């Protein structure tokens, strides 16, 4: 080998090593786990993110892939990863695999497998292999699950009132076509109207929920005359209460002062408690009480209704939670009201407390503190 040729070999070796170290730092800087395997499915390259996902400290080059990557399927059955990689002829992705760890926890895995050309062997033959991309998608999966559950609950809840409203409207049409009894038409339209009002309420809840989840709710503090607000709410719900054979009482502290809070949210919170009290009470009354406290106003809504069992009390404010009680199931509801209420309470720094006894009734009380808006400092 002459001097010139020697130099060329050195140069190409140098270039190769620069390219290799560039590749290594590139692969290492990736947030996704990367594992390259040869055609025997033995590991030839990996990065730190892959170690993290596999929850291992180290990996040896030449290690068999199946020793470190042991995915399971949705039914907890082990997946033959070697076979899976071998059968990959075009780049494929899988979002349904999971990894089980030693501490009993499980994560959802995104796995992409792509056949690649890994270079040339000693005799110049094409050395093939595969690159695996691994990502922990546990959070995305649980959000997806929540979204699917949300859609299924909401569509189910929408179906019932729509079916009832539709049935009543077509009934009214039928009676009208036959020039039948006007009172029967009125009754059918009224029943349909009630369902439409329920739908409107539900859509309101959903809209508030979606704004709350996106952190889009803003707080506009104003001085609220709680006395007037409660009388107005009691008046609004009086007809509904009467229809259900119930009465609404108000007990208002004569010392009530103006409350500094968001009128919109205070009203929405109280409306949720009052509608629940009316919905879940078969006989008796609903009492709205307001008392002046040092730091604000405490409002409680007491009913003489079906009450809530101890076990259900723990999950009351969970999204979609509805008591597993035949009496509850017979009443329209989404299980979103109290969840939204809690979000609004947090925004207004209010504290919610409740006590309830099955078949006796419930009291929900909420302490609304005065929100002192600090004027923005000029910078
Ligand atoms: P929804 O009323 O639409 O089901 P909520 O989130 O407002 O949803 O309430 C969740 C559940 O809490 C209800 O389904 C019901 O089981 C229970 N609940 C709420 N308020 C009362 C109440 N005043 N009396 C009895 N049960 C109640």
């Amino acid at each position: 080998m002459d001097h010139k040729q020697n130099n060329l070999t050195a140069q190409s070796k140098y270039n190769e090593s620069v390219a290799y170290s560039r590749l290594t730092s590139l692969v290492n800087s990736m947030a996704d786990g990367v594992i390259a395997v040869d055609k025997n499915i033995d590991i030839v390259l990996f990065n730190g993110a892959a170690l993290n996902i596999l929850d291992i400290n180290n990996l040896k080059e030449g290690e068999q892939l199946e020793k470190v990557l042991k995915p399971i399927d949705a039914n907890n059955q082990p997946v033959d990863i070697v076979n899976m990689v071998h059968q990959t002829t075009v780049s494929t992705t899988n979002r349904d695999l999971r990894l089980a760890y030693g501490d009993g926890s499980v994560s959802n895995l995104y796995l992409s497998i792509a056949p690649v050309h890994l270079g040339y062997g000693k005799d110049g033959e094409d050395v093939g292999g595969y690159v695996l991309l691994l990502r922990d998608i546990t959070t995305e999966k649980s959000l997806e699950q929540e979204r699917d559950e949300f859609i299924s609950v909401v569509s189910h809840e929408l179906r019932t009132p729509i079916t009832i409203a539709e049935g009543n409207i077509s009934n009214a049409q039928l009676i009208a076509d036959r020039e039948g009894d006007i009172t029967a038409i009125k009754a059918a339209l009224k029943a349909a109207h009630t369902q439409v009002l329920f739908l409107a309420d539900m859509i309101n809840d959903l809209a508030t929920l979606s704004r709350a989840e996106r952190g889009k709710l803003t707080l506009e503090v104003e001085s609220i005359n709680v006395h007037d607000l409660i009388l107005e709410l009691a008046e609004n719900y009086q007809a509904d209460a009467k229809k259900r054979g119930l009465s609404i009482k108000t007990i208002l502290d004569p010392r009530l002062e103006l409350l500094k809070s968001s009128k919109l949210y205070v009203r929405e919170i109280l409306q949720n408690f009052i509608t629940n009290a009316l919905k879940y009470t078969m006989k008796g009354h609903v009492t709205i009480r307001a008392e002046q406290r040092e730091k604000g106003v405490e409002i409680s809504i007491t009913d003489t209704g079906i009450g809530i069992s101890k076990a259900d009390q723990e999950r009351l404010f969970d999204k979609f939670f509805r008591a597993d009680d035949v009496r509850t199931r017979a009443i329209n509801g989404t299980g979103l009201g109290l969840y939204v209420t809690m979000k609004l309470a947090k925004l207004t720094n209010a504290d919610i407390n409740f006590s309830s006894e099955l078949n006796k009734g419930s009291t929900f009380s909420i302490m609304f503190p005065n929100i002192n808006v600090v004027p923005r400092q000029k910078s």
Side-chain angles (χ1 to χ4, degrees):
M1 203 183 286
D2 65 20
H3 184 66
K4 206 171 160 196
Q5 216 171 358
N6 236 344
N7 262 350
L8 269 179
T9 320
Q11 181 66 40
S12 82
K13 275 202 173 138
Y14 172 76
N15 285 346
E16 216 171 86
S17 98
V18 167
Y20 184 76
S21 74
R22 271 197 196 138
L23 176 72
T24 316
S25 62
L26 190 96
V27 168
N28 272 327
S29 68
M30 283 176 70
D32 289 337
V34 176
I35 297 178
V37 292
D38 59 20
K39 59 181 190 320
N40 299 321
I41 324 297
D42 293 337
I43 296 171
V44 291
L45 187 137
F46 59 90
N47 68 356
L51 298 182
N52 282 344
I53 295 174
L54 299 174
D55 198 28
I56 49 177
N57 291 329
N58 208 354
L59 246 182
K60 282 196 305 288
E61 230 175 79
E63 180 96 82
Q64 293 170 314
L65 181 69
E66 70 268 32
K67 290 261 169 66
V68 289
L69 179 59
K70 300 170 184 165
I72 49 175
D73 64 16
N75 302 318
N76 290 334
Q77 294 307 309
V79 171
D80 185 346
I81 187 73
V82 173
N83 195 23
M84 193 174 189
V85 175
H86 261 313
Q87 286 187 352
T88 307
T89 48
V90 287
S91 176
T92 51
T93 56
N94 189 316
R95 290 170 51 82
D96 297 322
L97 298 176
R98 301 185 307 150
L99 287 177
Y101 299 108
D103 64 358
S105 62
V106 175
S107 71
N108 292 93
L109 179 72
Y110 162 93
L111 178 66
S112 140
I113 307 172
V116 285
H117 161 75
L118 285 177
Y120 295 97
K122 276 200 278 316
D123 306 324
E125 83 274 16
D126 194 348
V127 180
Y130 305 86
V131 167
L132 283 72
L133 213 68
L134 301 91
R135 191 182 306 152
D136 183 344
I137 52 162
T138 313
T139 320
E140 285 104 303
K141 273 275 175 186
S142 79
L143 285 175
E144 270 170 32
Q145 229 166 8
E146 205 176 294
R147 192 195 57 204
D148 291 350
E149 190 183 283
F150 184 85
I151 292 171
S152 107
V153 171
V154 170
S155 47
H156 177 260
E157 291 300 329
L158 286 172
R159 202 172 303 134
T160 315
I162 287 173
T163 311
I164 302 176
E166 198 276 322
N168 276 294
I169 293 170
S170 61
N171 200 17
Q173 265 172 342
L174 211 72
I175 307 171
D177 284 348
R178 292 192 199 135
E179 292 180 13
D181 186 3
I182 189 80
T183 37
I185 298 177
K186 276 187 180 165
L189 287 179
K190 199 169 158 215
H193 187 224
T194 308
Q195 297 304 319
V196 172
L197 288 180
F198 168 72
L199 284 170
D201 271 355
M202 189 158 99
I203 288 162
N204 248 346
D205 265 1
L206 290 174
T208 315
L209 176 68
S210 123
R211 275 182 294 137
E213 305 251 275
R214 283 179 291 142
K216 285 259 166 77
L217 291 185
T218 50
L219 196 71
E220 264 177 50
V221 176
E222 55 188 301
S223 294
I224 309 166
N225 185 326
V226 179
H227 179 277
D228 289 358
L229 176 65
I230 292 182
L231 289 184
E232 182 196 322
L233 286 173
E235 174 63 32
N236 290 350
Y237 285 100
Q238 209 57 260
D240 187 24
K242 206 165 158 208
K243 237 182 358 197
R244 297 167 191 262
L246 306 170
S247 61
I248 301 182
K249 290 191 213 168
T250 53
I251 304 174
L252 304 173
D253 190 339
R255 299 170 302 144
L256 280 180
E257 292 168 11
L258 290 178
L259 169 70
K260 284 206 188 72
S261 190
S262 154
K263 191 165 183 181
L264 190 69
Y265 301 158
V266 169
R267 178 194 286 271
E268 188 145 346
I269 292 170
L270 296 179
Q271 277 175 346
N272 278 340
F273 285 138
I274 298 169
T275 43
N276 275 352
L278 291 171
K279 259 167 47 175
Y280 301 109
T281 302
M282 306 310 156
K283 61 175 195 291
H285 46 260
V286 170
T287 311
I288 313 171
R289 180 195 296 262
E291 282 168 284
Q292 184 61 44
R293 300 274 181 242
E294 199 190 325
K295 292 195 168 129
V297 179
E298 182 163 1
I299 302 174
S300 61
I301 289 103
T302 303
D303 65 58
T304 53
I306 63 173
I308 304 151
S309 72
K310 285 266 174 296
D312 287 344
Q313 285 181 21
E314 291 181 15
R315 300 172 50 206
L316 217 52
F317 292 87
D318 290 358
K319 202 190 228 173
F320 297 129
F321 176 76
R322 303 205 71 209
D324 203 9
D325 182 315
V326 279
R327 294 171 299 181
T328 309
R329 300 288 153 169
I331 299 162
N332 272 335
T334 55
L336 286 174
L338 290 184
Y339 178 77
V340 170
T341 300
M342 188 53 96
K343 292 227 171 224
L344 298 179
K346 288 214 171 101
L347 270 167
T348 50
N349 290 334
D351 275 329
I352 296 178
N353 276 301
F354 69 93
S355 62
S356 183
E357 204 177 325
L358 210 51
N359 301 322
K360 291 235 167 98
S362 319
T363 294
F364 286 84
S365 59
I366 178 149
M367 171 64 212
F368 290 107
N370 280 307
I371 302 174
N372 294 309
V373 191
V374 185
R376 256 195 223 152
Q377 301 276 328
K378 280 202 180 118
S379 55

